[in-house]
């Protein structure tokens, strides 16, 4: 299920396809690429005949290949608010211990 960067960061409610139509799925703020969400009872019928199975959606954050000048400025402004935080810093701390 593709998500925009804004939807992943801020959270959203997105329409998703199911076997019986469309449903709304809630995306939590801070959702990461690859996160899996589940809609209970919206999948195919269970083999034992007791209800329907669940349906799972994997979130994929879609990134634009090219940014407009306004988008590039917005990304630069966002980067400044993170104060240069390095998401890889813990990798080297744990490796040197």
């Amino acid at each position: 299920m593709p998500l925009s960067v804004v939807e992943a960061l801020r959270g959203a409610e997105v329409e998703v396809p199911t076997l019986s139509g469309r449903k709304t799925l809630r995306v939590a703020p801070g959702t990461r690429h690859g996160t899996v969400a589940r809609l209970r009872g919206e999948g195919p019928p269970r083999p034992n005949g007791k209800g329907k199975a669940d349906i799972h959606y994997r979130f994929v954050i879609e990134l634009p290949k090219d940014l407009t000048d306004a988008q590039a400025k917005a990304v630069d402004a966002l980067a400044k608010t993170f104060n240069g935080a390095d998401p890889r810093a813990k990798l080297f701390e744990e490796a040197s211990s």
Side-chain angles (χ1 to χ4, degrees):
M1 178 56 50
L3 295 177
S4 70
V5 172
V6 174
E7 290 170 329
L9 286 172
R10 300 196 71 185
E13 289 188 0
V14 296
E15 274 194 350
V16 295
T18 68
L19 299 176
S20 61
R22 296 178 182 198
K23 295 285 182 177
T24 300
L25 189 61
R26 186 171 306 198
V27 178
T31 294
R32 294 180 176 198
H33 181 86
T35 298
V36 176
R38 172 178 66 181
L39 275 179
R40 292 183 183 194
E42 293 295 333
R46 292 178 188 254
N48 62 10
K50 295 181 180 178
K52 291 184 178 181
D54 300 340
I55 194 167
H56 295 84
Y57 301 90
R58 182 175 308 277
F59 294 126
V60 178
I61 299 173
E62 295 286 327
L63 300 173
K65 292 183 186 210
D66 298 308
L67 297 176
T68 65
D69 289 340
Q71 290 168 330
K73 287 179 185 176
V75 169
D76 291 342
L78 178 62
K80 286 181 185 177
T81 67
F82 286 105
N83 299 321
D86 183 359
R88 295 165 299 281
K90 288 186 178 184
L91 294 174
F92 299 107
E93 289 173 11
E94 294 169 3
S96 63
S97 298

